[in-house]
Amino acid sequence: LVTDPPGARVALHRYVIRGRRLVPEYVRDLGETPILKAPLGRGSYLLVISAPGCEDTLYPVRIERGEHWDGCPPGQHEPHPIPLPRAGDLAEGELYVPAGHAWVGGDPEAPDSLSARRVWIDGFIVDRFPITHEQYLAHLNDLLAAGRESDAWQSCPRAHRASVASASEELACEKGPDGRFRMKERADGETPSLRSPVVLVSFNDAVAYARARSEATGRHCRLLNELEREKAVRGADGRHYPWGDFFDPNWACMLQSHRTPPPRLASVDAFPGDESPFGMRGGAGNSLDLCWNEWTRQGPVIEGGRLVVTESPPEGPGYRAVRGGGWGNVANHCRAAGRFAVLPDHRRSALGLRLGRSFGGAAGSPARHERVEVSL
């Protein structure tokens, strides 16, 4: 285990089942990096890596029977130094998913699951929560302030219908007395919570939102590749849900979670049990996430055991990948390996967005821990 900078201290936690959930329990201190030998039994572990001036890094590891884990990317013979984010590298609400292997697919109960495969996925940063109505309204009002009112109206989320899958052409937003956009009261008399995920936006709307954040922050923000999103939910051990393999409707916002009908969106804070090994929330329920890559039957491009993150064009007829479970989904549709698809201009009543960005450089290239800044 090698880090950049070296000399980071590593605390070892082992995942055990407590209350039907996988919970990391502290085992021992492994010492400082580089760590060349540390005998571990077969199982799933969480390494907490700490260094002065750096953000703590969570690094899940799965040890197979008789396996020697070495942190080497496919086709290479030296371990990939894990870049540790410096203080300030992560914006508020961002989480770090360091480079490494992860098990993806392999779940016959998940719709359209890929075949089981161990894949190296380069490091990236992901938002802890999906984009909320509050954040999206700020985006619309920024467009308004920039004199782009027509773009703002075009990007407005649509109003909810009774059907889970459909979207009307009625807008979910309106201008308030102050001339700024606000959420509109629905036909049932309720106004969507500002802390609930924005839904009924299209892939094209999501790309425009990512572009706007990139311009505002100077960091190249984007939607996640669907396998990045799967790793952010499952960690390294191929669990079926963010919390493990057992399903309980009290742990995620889905069809059976609601004591009184009808089912509905919840605040992004409402289901703390829906949390992944990296701390990402809402991976199994509430809203689904639009992904960056085009949907294909065989899944994203993997070359030599490594995920190739390619950017799909905003325009075009191809389907875009969608991952996650929603407030109206049944249990098997909330499984982390489940795959869905949508056309770039279509909207769905549980379909939202979550942003991320690359971080740390690709395996095999010089590791770096500085901010990733791209001028658009």
Side-chain angles (χ1 to χ4, degrees):
L1 179 70
V2 181
T3 60
D4 176 22
R9 184 156 291 277
V10 181
L12 175 70
H13 300 71
R14 182 167 189 155
Y15 278 106
V16 296
I17 297 177
R18 296 284 184 261
R20 301 176 297 179
R21 298 173 62 92
L22 284 173
V23 176
E25 292 189 351
Y26 178 76
V27 178
R28 66 179 187 271
D29 191 311
L30 291 182
E32 294 184 351
T33 60
I35 297 173
L36 303 182
K37 286 187 178 182
L40 299 179
R42 178 175 180 264
S44 182
Y45 297 88
L46 180 67
L47 308 180
V48 180
I49 306 173
S50 305
C54 297
E55 304 279 356
D56 283 358
T57 293
L58 304 180
Y59 199 92
V61 172
R62 174 173 166 175
I63 305 295
E64 304 290 351
R65 188 180 303 278
E67 178 193 39
H68 175 68
W69 187 96
D70 55 18
C72 293
Q76 298 184 29
H77 305 289
E78 295 294 331
H80 174 62
I82 302 167
L84 305 181
R86 301 284 188 182
D89 280 348
L90 302 182
E92 183 178 358
E94 289 186 329
L95 302 169
Y96 177 40
V97 180
H101 285 104
W103 281 96
V104 299
D107 185 357
E109 295 186 38
D112 196 32
S113 170
L114 299 169
S115 300
R117 191 166 182 179
R118 189 169 182 250
V119 179
W120 179 277
I121 299 175
D122 288 322
F124 62 95
I125 289 171
V126 61
D127 285 353
R128 185 183 187 195
F129 297 109
I131 300 303
T132 63
H133 284 116
E134 182 177 29
Q135 291 171 301
Y136 201 80
L137 282 174
H139 165 59
L140 296 180
N141 285 315
D142 285 344
L143 291 176
L144 195 64
R148 299 170 57 188
E149 183 169 353
S150 62
D151 291 338
W153 285 114
Q154 179 63 34
S155 297
C156 278
R158 298 313 193 250
H160 171 66
R161 281 182 178 174
S163 168
V164 169
S166 63
S168 69
E169 285 306 307
E170 180 187 355
L171 300 181
C173 303
E174 63 183 3
K175 277 191 176 182
D178 60 356
R180 293 170 58 82
F181 282 101
R182 65 183 184 184
M183 299 307 298
K184 186 165 59 176
E185 183 180 291
R186 298 194 305 244
D188 60 7
E190 293 189 11
T191 302
S193 166
L194 293 179
R195 286 292 292 165
S196 62
V198 65
V199 293
L200 287 159
V201 291
S202 70
F203 174 85
N204 293 334
D205 296 333
V207 170
Y209 183 90
R211 185 181 298 117
R213 184 195 279 188
S214 299
E215 293 172 349
T217 64
R219 293 167 166 171
H220 180 45
C221 301
R222 57 176 174 82
L223 304 176
L224 296 182
N225 179 283
E226 63 172 300
L227 292 190
E228 290 178 318
R229 206 269 187 188
E230 186 170 341
K231 179 180 178 178
V233 173
R234 302 177 86 177
D237 56 17
R239 60 187 63 192
H240 297 317
Y241 301 100
W243 54 80
D245 292 335
F246 184 87
F247 185 80
D248 189 312
N250 292 307
W251 295 342
C253 181
M254 45 83 69
L255 185 62
Q256 297 168 285
S257 304
H258 308 273
R259 291 184 174 85
T260 58
R264 59 180 67 83
L265 275 173
S267 165
V268 294
D269 310 292
F271 287 81
D274 189 357
E275 182 170 286
S276 81
F278 298 103
M280 194 182 95
R281 296 277 288 274
N286 213 13
S287 64
L288 297 90
D289 292 334
L290 286 154
C291 295
W292 192 237
N293 59 293
E294 291 192 52
W295 181 93
T296 62
R297 177 65 63 185
Q298 66 272 18
V301 177
I302 298 173
E303 294 181 354
R306 290 170 54 175
L307 173 66
V308 178
V309 177
T310 56
E311 299 184 356
S312 62
E315 296 81 19
Y319 283 89
R320 302 307 191 267
V322 173
R323 288 299 192 107
W327 55 267
N329 284 148
V330 293
N332 70 310
H333 282 208
C334 298
R335 298 171 79 92
R339 304 177 68 226
F340 309 95
V342 68
L343 289 170
D345 59 346
H346 283 199
R347 299 173 172 87
R348 296 291 183 268
S349 58
L351 185 57
L353 68 147
R354 185 192 307 261
L355 296 190
R357 53 191 174 94
S358 300
F359 184 86
S365 63
R368 63 182 190 272
H369 50 256
E370 72 272 13
R371 298 183 185 182
V372 178
E373 297 186 356
V374 178
S375 298
L376 299 180

